[in-house]
Amino acid sequence: TPHFIKGITKEHFPTPFGSGPLINLLAGWALYGIAALLAIAAHISTHPMPALASAALGVLVIGVFHATIGAFGKGQAPKPGNDHRLNRQ
């Protein structure tokens, strides 16, 4: 989702293939496709509790990753007044 959103809003965001908006759009779209194929292969309706537990664990792992390391690596989060997106006029 972050890559797809950054792509459609024409913002740069790092991927292994570059950081441009078009690359992010394509990466986000491809990841949605992979997620859909995995959901179909997992037979979620047949095994709802393991699917829910797996999804909850995945959200927790990604949340911990972003809370500690973040998408841009270790470092300080931007200060509230220094966000360039808020200064557009």
Side-chain angles (χ1 to χ4, degrees), residues 10-82:
K10 296 183 180 180
E11 294 184 25
H12 288 263
F13 193 69
T15 72
F17 310 106
S19 65
L22 180 59
I23 291 173
N24 273 286
L25 174 73
L26 295 174
W29 179 80
L31 291 170
Y32 278 140
I34 292 168
L37 291 174
L38 289 172
I40 291 168
H43 303 288
I44 293 173
S45 61
T46 308
H47 309 289
M49 289 309 291
L52 179 61
S54 297
L57 181 61
V59 168
L60 177 64
V61 169
I62 292 299
V64 169
F65 169 79
H66 282 285
T68 57
I69 298 172
F72 300 103
K74 290 192 179 275
Q76 296 291 328
K79 293 183 181 177
N82 294 342

